[in-house]
Amino acid sequence: MEFLQEVRDRFRNGVLAEPKRHGGYGFDAGYMAASAEEAAKHYAEVASALGELHELFPFPHGGDLSEPGAAETAIRLLQRAKAAEEQGLRYLARMHYDL
């Protein structure tokens, strides 16, 4: 997340803007910054869901799947993390394509 926020900032201040051969820029730095920011938001959601999962099953001997609702909660958290990561990856793929 911090890395993506740094990438966003570098696009915003022009550090990552590369000129095309015939002048101008090869991509819209503002669009790239916004995409990096959106990806960072989704990866923050991944971290949040996995953090909750860690609280449910702390290392090394935590959690009990036989507790009522524990398995369902774990599945829900993993699904939330997966969905957020898929969204974050979409923004990263857009950035890759535009570069």
Side-chain angles (χ1 to χ4, degrees), residues 1-8 36-37 39-48:
M1 296 170 302
E2 290 178 28
F3 169 76
L4 290 170
Q5 292 166 343
E6 182 179 333
V7 168
R8 174 205 59 205
E37 183 169 11
K41 288 178 187 177
H42 290 291
Y43 281 101
E45 179 63 23
V46 172
S48 174

Side-chain angles (χ1 to χ4, degrees), residues 26-89:
F27 49 81
D28 179 342
Y31 173 80
M32 298 297 274
S35 293
E37 183 169 11
E38 286 300 314
K41 288 178 187 177
H42 290 291
Y43 281 101
E45 179 63 23
V46 172
S48 174
L50 294 178
E52 289 179 46
L53 186 65
H54 173 72
E55 289 175 15
L56 188 61
F57 302 105
F59 182 80
H61 305 290
D64 183 0
L65 283 173
S66 66
E67 289 182 27
E72 293 82 9
T73 300
I75 290 168
R76 181 182 49 79
L77 290 169
L78 289 170
Q79 288 172 334
R80 190 173 109 203
K82 180 183 181 222
E85 186 163 18
E86 287 172 345
Q87 290 288 48
L89 186 57

